[in-house]
Amino acid sequence: MAFSPLVDELVESLRCLPGVGQKTAQRMAFHLLERGREGGERLAGALEQAMSGVRRCDSCQNFADTELCPICQDVSRRNGTLCIVESPSDLLALEQAGDYQGGYFVLMGHLSPIDGIGPEEIGVERLLRRVQDENVTEIILATNPTVEGDATAHYIADRLADRPVLVTRLAHGIPVGGELGYVDGFTLGHAFRGRKPLAD
Amino acid sequence: MAFSPLVDELVESLRCLPGVGQKTAQRMAFHLLERGREGGERLAGALEQAMSGVRRCDSCQNFADTELCPICQDVSRRNGTLCIVESPSDLLALEQAGDYQGGYFVLMGHLSPIDGIGPEEIGVERLLRRVQDENVTEIILATNPTVEGDATAHYIADRLADRPVLVTRLAHGIPVGGELGYVDGFTLGHAFRGRKPLAD
Ligand SMILES: [Zn+2]
Ligand SMILES: [Zn+2]
């Protein structure tokens, strides 16, 4: 840039955000410099803290500030039910719907052999240990209703076939091909209540 | 959020960026945490540095790291010509077009009485002092071709009416109602060469 290496570096750095190209990064940088320095300083601090401080929960794999996330720390939610989701935003959508009171397991993705993401990468062994250790009686497969989400759900169901655990799948109300994080709470609640055992 | 105050704060902070709502902020935060921690750390540093270190150039009002920006420090560009633009991104677009070799004055906005932005806010007195002190012989009005940009250009032209300075306006090639920062370099070069004295 013609006028400021600091502005240059800010524009370049903003491009690490998803969906932000050169023009958008420039607009963001100028906006912060002109009218949002306080916000920019707050964001700098939040980024620094989060990038170094956020870890994965030892039990559910979700983002957490401590070894166990608040949900896993809550003994009232260890009721023998585990809901399997692909991502933290899916978990958030379900929590905001408010229908569900059990535990979670966050895969942080789905099976995708072409990208080198196998059972180990999404934590299937860890999940199977939890099913055993915590005497889980029901696994609710809430992966996204996509080809990859369905394949992941079926793989997990297969691995649980010889365990004394009911395997269910969120049922109807979820638009096919959609993403769980964008579904409204009413529809999610409906899908929870309408869940049914997974058929082969 | 159900699982991490640090993630909460990051999502909230990201909303200081223009055009970023709750869902987008969430997506950005998760992206950084999952696959972009290095980028996030770099952005944190760039923000901190820029928010505290970027000032306004004493001569042209543009963003700068030092008292005078590199363009104002460059004596070869003090050739008696000043190009008046509304914003740093307009200046950048003109620099990238590469046709112009004189100085700049960045208004950092345009006249907008309804928003309390008068001549003082955009630095008209400072501009008039420069015209006198630097023996400026031509002022090129490159404000945006919008109602506000035109009004600002005319106001400045009026204030220069009794000075021995040629006042020109970027001429044709710029789409009416458009923003300078989005015009391609070829068109900008054309508009520069086709500039003409401002008529009343
Ligand atoms: Zn957890
Ligand atoms: Zn300058």
Side-chain angles (χ1 to χ4, degrees):
Chain A
M1 222 169 266
F3 45 84
S4 164
L6 291 178
V7 177
D8 263 8
E9 167 64 11
L10 178 56
V11 172
E12 269 313 301
S13 305
L14 281 164
R15 296 186 59 184
C16 72
L17 298 172
V20 174
Q22 180 70 21
K23 278 278 175 194
T24 305
Q26 224 178 69
R27 191 165 56 88
M28 286 175 164
F30 292 157
H31 172 90
L32 291 176
L33 288 165
E34 279 167 50
R35 308 186 284 281
R37 296 221 182 188
E38 239 173 75
E41 275 158 18
R42 177 181 172 187
L43 177 55
L47 275 165
E48 202 185 303
Q49 298 269 310
M51 293 304 113
S52 65
V54 175
R55 59 194 307 287
R56 304 276 289 273
C57 170
D58 284 349
S59 174
C60 73
Q61 301 196 134
N62 194 9
F63 294 131
D65 298 355
T66 45
E67 282 181 33
L68 288 182
C69 75
I71 293 174
C72 291
Q73 281 176 39
D74 182 349
V75 288
S76 79
R77 299 194 65 153
R78 287 184 214 154
N79 58 7
T81 311
L82 275 190
C83 180
I84 317 296
V85 293
E86 290 187 32
S87 73
S89 50
D90 295 341
L91 182 153
L92 269 184
L94 292 170
E95 284 297 289
Q96 277 156 14
D99 285 71
Y100 180 64
Q101 296 299 324
Y104 287 98
F105 192 84
V106 184
L107 301 172
M108 290 286 187
H110 47 238
L111 291 177
S112 179
I114 209 170
D115 302 310
I117 299 173
E120 196 177 330
E121 282 69 29
I122 60 173
V124 173
E125 295 305 326
R126 178 183 295 191
L127 169 61
L128 294 175
R129 272 199 306 278
R130 262 190 87 180
V131 169
Q132 182 148 353
D133 295 350
E134 297 178 22
N135 294 314
V136 172
T137 52
E138 179 177 358
I139 290 278
I140 303 169
L141 293 165
T143 53
N144 284 319
T146 58
V147 173
E148 298 86 357
D150 283 337
T152 306
H154 276 96
Y155 176 83
I156 294 172
D158 283 348
R159 295 292 304 272
L160 290 164
D162 59 347
R163 312 269 184 123
V165 55
L166 177 66
V167 178
T168 58
R169 180 111 173 81
L170 288 196
H172 71 74
I174 306 177
V176 173
E179 286 195 10
L180 220 63
Y182 288 86
V183 177
D184 66 283
F186 182 80
T187 307
L188 281 171
H190 196 88
F192 248 102
R193 288 186 299 276
R195 69 187 185 266
K196 55 180 186 181
L198 191 78
D200 283 322
Chain B
M1 224 170 268
F3 45 83
S4 164
L6 290 177
V7 177
D8 262 8
E9 168 63 12
L10 178 56
V11 172
E12 269 313 300
S13 304
L14 281 164
R15 297 188 59 184
C16 73
L17 298 172
V20 175
Q22 180 70 19
K23 278 277 176 196
T24 306
Q26 223 179 68
R27 192 166 56 87
M28 287 175 163
F30 292 158
H31 172 90
L32 291 176
L33 289 165
E34 279 167 49
R35 306 186 285 282
R37 297 223 182 185
E38 240 173 74
E41 273 158 19
R42 178 181 170 185
L43 178 54
L47 277 166
E48 200 184 305
Q49 297 268 311
M51 293 304 113
S52 66
V54 175
R55 60 195 303 289
R56 303 276 288 274
C57 170
D58 284 348
S59 175
C60 73
Q61 301 196 136
N62 195 10
F63 293 131
D65 298 356
T66 45
E67 281 180 34
L68 289 182
C69 74
I71 293 174
C72 291
Q73 281 176 40
D74 181 350
V75 287
S76 80
R77 299 194 66 152
R78 288 184 213 153
N79 59 6
T81 310
L82 276 189
C83 181
I84 317 297
V85 293
E86 291 186 31
S87 74
S89 50
D90 295 342
L91 182 154
L92 269 185
L94 292 169
E95 284 297 290
Q96 279 157 11
D99 284 72
Y100 179 64
Q101 295 300 326
Y104 286 98
F105 192 84
V106 184
L107 302 172
M108 290 286 187
H110 47 239
L111 293 176
S112 180
I114 210 170
D115 302 310
I117 299 174
E120 196 176 331
E121 282 70 29
I122 60 174
V124 174
E125 295 306 326
R126 178 182 295 190
L127 169 62
L128 295 175
R129 271 199 305 279
R130 262 190 88 178
V131 169
Q132 181 148 352
D133 295 351
E134 297 178 22
N135 295 313
V136 172
T137 53
E138 180 177 357
I139 290 279
I140 303 169
L141 294 165
T143 52
N144 284 318
T146 57
V147 173
E148 298 85 357
D150 283 337
T152 305
H154 275 97
Y155 177 83
I156 293 172
D158 283 348
R159 295 291 305 270
L160 291 164
D162 60 347
R163 311 270 183 124
V165 56
L166 178 65
V167 178
T168 58
R169 181 109 172 82
L170 288 196
H172 71 75
I174 306 177
V176 173
E179 286 197 9
L180 222 63
Y182 287 86
V183 177
D184 65 283
F186 182 81
T187 308
L188 282 172
H190 196 87
F192 248 101
R193 288 187 298 278
R195 68 188 186 266
K196 54 180 186 180
L198 192 80
D200 283 322

